[in-house]
Amino acid sequence: MAVTDETLTDLALSRSSLDRVALERRRPEIIAELLDDPSTRVAEIRGDRMRVAAAGGAGVGDTAGDALGLVLRAPEPADRARLGLHLGRDGDGTAYVGVVSTDVGSEPEAAGSGHESDAWLTLRQAGEALAPRDAGVFTTALALANWHSTHRFCPRCGAPTEPNQAGWVRRCQREGSEHYPRTDPAVIMSVVDPDDRLLLGRGAHWPEGRFSVLAGFVEPGESFESAVAREVAEEVGVKVDAVRYLGNQPWPFPSSVMVGFEATTRETQLTIDPVEMAEARWVSREEYRDLLRGGSIRTPSGISIAKRIIEHWLGHTVEDVVGPGTVAGT
Ligand SMILES: [Zn+2]
């Protein structure tokens, strides 16, 4: 593993293992060359789904850990007409190409009972159970596909843009300006009071019982730490003291990277912003465990850094309290 200051390691969507071989993207024919090579592994994305299979004959809904794999295939002729994304090479030099399928009627059905041996799943559904390489392939391809779908016109002059550099650039067809995939940083943070209680909030449009730590987008001209302080002050009216980095992961829903922190405060009086927040409260560890056991509180989904930040404060996993498979993710 690379040298890191992160406390939260092995986050579900931060496990990409491919070498991105960025210099290869400059070769104009690289996608065509890779699609001519039967050893290339193609990861097809339809809408926001990829085809996933369970290991060892299990159903795709019955799995945990590294028990799911992407169904990768050799290139097929139809791929040449699709948007191609050079995702990188593995340790053996095998290339991985994402293809964005826009065939009429290609939108797959939502996942069925979960007992099929393979299914088209979203990254939210499959991400936690995918092995590291495949979690990285899906995360990167989804982020790129999302960006291409919403950047078809030049922000400088309004003319159409076209994919370039193996899917990592869009180029203006009128004046040639180049536009790069964007990633929007958001901060997400635990806030702890002098009694070591955790601040939990429920967003204005979230269902009853769904609580998480606070989060928000970083604004232009702002450091991550300043964004943490501003978001907490805006949403619950509390001034934070120390802010410490915990870890980060890409979050391609549609185009973010979530940067996690823990903050402390001496202020416990909450003044919520009703536009952003439905409610906010302080919980001790014992109260949080009781709420989980009683089923009156739901944690964020397993692929989220939010769940890991809460567990970092709690000192153990949510599953240690309620058992595996009972965490209602969203
Ligand atoms: Zn232009």
Side-chain angles (χ1 to χ4, degrees), residues 153-161 171-179:
F153 297 95
C154 177
R156 292 165 55 103
C157 75
T161 56
R171 198 162 181 276
C172 175
Q173 293 181 23
R174 181 184 291 156
E175 31 84 16
S177 60
E178 292 186 339
H179 305 279

PDB file of all heavy atoms in Angstrom, residues 153-161 171-179, ligand 1:
ATOM      1  N   PHE A 153     -21.070  19.683 -24.631  1.00  0.00           N
ATOM      2  CA  PHE A 153     -20.908  20.983 -25.289  1.00  0.00           C
ATOM      3  C   PHE A 153     -19.810  21.789 -24.592  1.00  0.00           C
ATOM      4  O   PHE A 153     -19.605  21.679 -23.386  1.00  0.00           O
ATOM      5  CB  PHE A 153     -22.231  21.748 -25.293  1.00  0.00           C
ATOM      6  CG  PHE A 153     -23.291  21.038 -26.091  1.00  0.00           C
ATOM      7  CD1 PHE A 153     -24.190  20.188 -25.461  1.00  0.00           C
ATOM      8  CD2 PHE A 153     -23.357  21.183 -27.472  1.00  0.00           C
ATOM      9  CE1 PHE A 153     -25.150  19.501 -26.192  1.00  0.00           C
ATOM     10  CE2 PHE A 153     -24.319  20.500 -28.202  1.00  0.00           C
ATOM     11  CZ  PHE A 153     -25.206  19.650 -27.570  1.00  0.00           C
ATOM     12  N   CYS A 154     -19.142  22.595 -25.385  1.00  0.00           N
ATOM     13  CA  CYS A 154     -17.976  23.342 -24.906  1.00  0.00           C
ATOM     14  C   CYS A 154     -18.400  24.448 -23.935  1.00  0.00           C
ATOM     15  O   CYS A 154     -19.262  25.260 -24.275  1.00  0.00           O
ATOM     16  CB  CYS A 154     -17.255  23.935 -26.107  1.00  0.00           C
ATOM     17  SG  CYS A 154     -15.856  24.962 -25.650  1.00  0.00           S
ATOM     18  N   PRO A 155     -17.781  24.503 -22.735  1.00  0.00           N
ATOM     19  CA  PRO A 155     -18.133  25.580 -21.800  1.00  0.00           C
ATOM     20  C   PRO A 155     -17.611  26.940 -22.239  1.00  0.00           C
ATOM     21  O   PRO A 155     -18.052  27.962 -21.717  1.00  0.00           O
ATOM     22  CB  PRO A 155     -17.469  25.133 -20.489  1.00  0.00           C
ATOM     23  CG  PRO A 155     -16.357  24.244 -20.905  1.00  0.00           C
ATOM     24  CD  PRO A 155     -16.792  23.570 -22.174  1.00  0.00           C
ATOM     25  N   ARG A 156     -16.692  26.968 -23.228  1.00  0.00           N
ATOM     26  CA  ARG A 156     -16.169  28.259 -23.714  1.00  0.00           C
ATOM     27  C   ARG A 156     -17.036  28.853 -24.811  1.00  0.00           C
ATOM     28  O   ARG A 156     -17.296  30.054 -24.817  1.00  0.00           O
ATOM     29  CB  ARG A 156     -14.746  28.074 -24.248  1.00  0.00           C
ATOM     30  CG  ARG A 156     -13.736  27.742 -23.159  1.00  0.00           C
ATOM     31  CD  ARG A 156     -12.445  27.218 -23.779  1.00  0.00           C
ATOM     32  NE  ARG A 156     -11.891  28.141 -24.747  1.00  0.00           N
ATOM     33  CZ  ARG A 156     -10.862  28.948 -24.524  1.00  0.00           C
ATOM     34  NH1 ARG A 156     -10.263  28.925 -23.347  1.00  0.00           N
ATOM     35  NH2 ARG A 156     -10.407  29.743 -25.457  1.00  0.00           N
ATOM     36  N   CYS A 157     -17.482  27.988 -25.764  1.00  0.00           N
ATOM     37  CA  CYS A 157     -18.172  28.567 -26.931  1.00  0.00           C
ATOM     38  C   CYS A 157     -19.498  27.877 -27.262  1.00  0.00           C
ATOM     39  O   CYS A 157     -20.214  28.334 -28.151  1.00  0.00           O
ATOM     40  CB  CYS A 157     -17.251  28.536 -28.155  1.00  0.00           C
ATOM     41  SG  CYS A 157     -17.062  26.897 -28.885  1.00  0.00           S
ATOM     42  N   GLY A 158     -19.837  26.795 -26.583  1.00  0.00           N
ATOM     43  CA  GLY A 158     -21.130  26.157 -26.800  1.00  0.00           C
ATOM     44  C   GLY A 158     -21.178  25.158 -27.931  1.00  0.00           C
ATOM     45  O   GLY A 158     -22.207  24.497 -28.138  1.00  0.00           O
ATOM     46  N   ALA A 159     -20.078  25.000 -28.694  1.00  0.00           N
ATOM     47  CA  ALA A 159     -20.057  24.020 -29.784  1.00  0.00           C
ATOM     48  C   ALA A 159     -19.972  22.598 -29.209  1.00  0.00           C
ATOM     49  O   ALA A 159     -19.545  22.407 -28.075  1.00  0.00           O
ATOM     50  CB  ALA A 159     -18.850  24.280 -30.694  1.00  0.00           C
ATOM     51  N   PRO A 160     -20.345  21.586 -30.000  1.00  0.00           N
ATOM     52  CA  PRO A 160     -20.219  20.206 -29.505  1.00  0.00           C
ATOM     53  C   PRO A 160     -18.755  19.847 -29.203  1.00  0.00           C
ATOM     54  O   PRO A 160     -17.837  20.332 -29.860  1.00  0.00           O
ATOM     55  CB  PRO A 160     -20.747  19.366 -30.674  1.00  0.00           C
ATOM     56  CG  PRO A 160     -21.594  20.294 -31.469  1.00  0.00           C
ATOM     57  CD  PRO A 160     -20.964  21.657 -31.331  1.00  0.00           C
ATOM     58  N   THR A 161     -18.578  18.996 -28.201  1.00  0.00           N
ATOM     59  CA  THR A 161     -17.262  18.436 -27.902  1.00  0.00           C
ATOM     60  C   THR A 161     -17.261  16.968 -28.285  1.00  0.00           C
ATOM     61  O   THR A 161     -18.324  16.343 -28.400  1.00  0.00           O
ATOM     62  CB  THR A 161     -16.933  18.555 -26.404  1.00  0.00           C
ATOM     63  OG1 THR A 161     -17.964  17.912 -25.656  1.00  0.00           O
ATOM     64  CG2 THR A 161     -16.822  20.002 -25.978  1.00  0.00           C
ATOM     65  N   ARG A 171     -12.855  17.390 -26.462  1.00  0.00           N
ATOM     66  CA  ARG A 171     -12.234  18.445 -27.244  1.00  0.00           C
ATOM     67  C   ARG A 171     -13.318  19.172 -28.027  1.00  0.00           C
ATOM     68  O   ARG A 171     -14.198  18.555 -28.633  1.00  0.00           O
ATOM     69  CB  ARG A 171     -11.218  17.797 -28.201  1.00  0.00           C
ATOM     70  CG  ARG A 171     -10.210  18.741 -28.771  1.00  0.00           C
ATOM     71  CD  ARG A 171      -9.022  17.934 -29.331  1.00  0.00           C
ATOM     72  NE  ARG A 171      -8.025  18.861 -29.855  1.00  0.00           N
ATOM     73  CZ  ARG A 171      -8.067  19.393 -31.058  1.00  0.00           C
ATOM     74  NH1 ARG A 171      -9.057  19.080 -31.888  1.00  0.00           N
ATOM     75  NH2 ARG A 171      -7.139  20.233 -31.457  1.00  0.00           N
ATOM     76  N   CYS A 172     -13.241  20.513 -28.009  1.00  0.00           N
ATOM     77  CA  CYS A 172     -14.216  21.334 -28.724  1.00  0.00           C
ATOM     78  C   CYS A 172     -14.017  21.177 -30.220  1.00  0.00           C
ATOM     79  O   CYS A 172     -12.904  21.337 -30.727  1.00  0.00           O
ATOM     80  CB  CYS A 172     -14.066  22.797 -28.324  1.00  0.00           C
ATOM     81  SG  CYS A 172     -15.145  23.887 -29.276  1.00  0.00           S
ATOM     82  N   GLN A 173     -15.085  20.871 -30.926  1.00  0.00           N
ATOM     83  CA  GLN A 173     -14.976  20.666 -32.367  1.00  0.00           C
ATOM     84  C   GLN A 173     -14.783  21.994 -33.118  1.00  0.00           C
ATOM     85  O   GLN A 173     -14.377  21.986 -34.270  1.00  0.00           O
ATOM     86  CB  GLN A 173     -16.233  19.952 -32.890  1.00  0.00           C
ATOM     87  CG  GLN A 173     -16.342  18.522 -32.380  1.00  0.00           C
ATOM     88  CD  GLN A 173     -17.555  17.796 -32.909  1.00  0.00           C
ATOM     89  OE1 GLN A 173     -18.097  18.145 -33.953  1.00  0.00           O
ATOM     90  NE2 GLN A 173     -18.002  16.786 -32.186  1.00  0.00           N
ATOM     91  N   ARG A 174     -15.079  23.130 -32.508  1.00  0.00           N
ATOM     92  CA  ARG A 174     -14.944  24.404 -33.204  1.00  0.00           C
ATOM     93  C   ARG A 174     -13.562  25.007 -33.017  1.00  0.00           C
ATOM     94  O   ARG A 174     -12.903  25.355 -33.980  1.00  0.00           O
ATOM     95  CB  ARG A 174     -16.011  25.392 -32.723  1.00  0.00           C
ATOM     96  CG  ARG A 174     -15.945  26.746 -33.442  1.00  0.00           C
ATOM     97  CD  ARG A 174     -16.953  27.745 -32.879  1.00  0.00           C
ATOM     98  NE  ARG A 174     -18.322  27.351 -33.193  1.00  0.00           N
ATOM     99  CZ  ARG A 174     -19.391  27.730 -32.478  1.00  0.00           C
ATOM    100  NH1 ARG A 174     -19.217  28.495 -31.410  1.00  0.00           N
ATOM    101  NH2 ARG A 174     -20.600  27.349 -32.817  1.00  0.00           N
ATOM    102  N   GLU A 175     -13.119  25.136 -31.751  1.00  0.00           N
ATOM    103  CA  GLU A 175     -11.846  25.844 -31.550  1.00  0.00           C
ATOM    104  C   GLU A 175     -10.803  24.988 -30.838  1.00  0.00           C
ATOM    105  O   GLU A 175      -9.744  25.475 -30.477  1.00  0.00           O
ATOM    106  CB  GLU A 175     -12.060  27.200 -30.858  1.00  0.00           C
ATOM    107  CG  GLU A 175     -13.236  27.301 -29.895  1.00  0.00           C
ATOM    108  CD  GLU A 175     -12.915  26.804 -28.504  1.00  0.00           C
ATOM    109  OE1 GLU A 175     -11.741  26.658 -28.181  1.00  0.00           O
ATOM    110  OE2 GLU A 175     -13.869  26.538 -27.735  1.00  0.00           O
ATOM    111  N   GLY A 176     -11.075  23.698 -30.642  1.00  0.00           N
ATOM    112  CA  GLY A 176     -10.032  22.777 -30.202  1.00  0.00           C
ATOM    113  C   GLY A 176      -9.685  22.817 -28.723  1.00  0.00           C
ATOM    114  O   GLY A 176      -8.743  22.145 -28.298  1.00  0.00           O
ATOM    115  N   SER A 177     -10.404  23.597 -27.920  1.00  0.00           N
ATOM    116  CA  SER A 177     -10.069  23.639 -26.489  1.00  0.00           C
ATOM    117  C   SER A 177     -10.325  22.259 -25.872  1.00  0.00           C
ATOM    118  O   SER A 177     -11.227  21.528 -26.283  1.00  0.00           O
ATOM    119  CB  SER A 177     -10.889  24.713 -25.767  1.00  0.00           C
ATOM    120  OG  SER A 177     -12.272  24.458 -25.879  1.00  0.00           O
ATOM    121  N   GLU A 178      -9.480  21.913 -24.885  1.00  0.00           N
ATOM    122  CA  GLU A 178      -9.562  20.606 -24.249  1.00  0.00           C
ATOM    123  C   GLU A 178     -10.193  20.741 -22.869  1.00  0.00           C
ATOM    124  O   GLU A 178      -9.876  21.670 -22.115  1.00  0.00           O
ATOM    125  CB  GLU A 178      -8.171  19.985 -24.143  1.00  0.00           C
ATOM    126  CG  GLU A 178      -7.596  19.617 -25.496  1.00  0.00           C
ATOM    127  CD  GLU A 178      -6.274  18.875 -25.379  1.00  0.00           C
ATOM    128  OE1 GLU A 178      -5.618  19.000 -24.324  1.00  0.00           O
ATOM    129  OE2 GLU A 178      -5.922  18.178 -26.344  1.00  0.00           O
ATOM    130  N   HIS A 179     -11.041  19.783 -22.518  1.00  0.00           N
ATOM    131  CA  HIS A 179     -11.753  19.813 -21.245  1.00  0.00           C
ATOM    132  C   HIS A 179     -11.575  18.480 -20.547  1.00  0.00           C
ATOM    133  O   HIS A 179     -11.725  17.425 -21.170  1.00  0.00           O
ATOM    134  CB  HIS A 179     -13.224  20.155 -21.484  1.00  0.00           C
ATOM    135  CG  HIS A 179     -13.356  21.436 -22.253  1.00  0.00           C
ATOM    136  ND1 HIS A 179     -13.266  22.668 -21.652  1.00  0.00           N
ATOM    137  CD2 HIS A 179     -13.475  21.679 -23.587  1.00  0.00           C
ATOM    138  CE1 HIS A 179     -13.352  23.607 -22.569  1.00  0.00           C
ATOM    139  NE2 HIS A 179     -13.474  23.034 -23.761  1.00  0.00           N
TER     140      HIS A 179
HETATM  141 ZN    ZN B   1     -15.383  25.675 -27.864  1.00  0.00          ZN
END
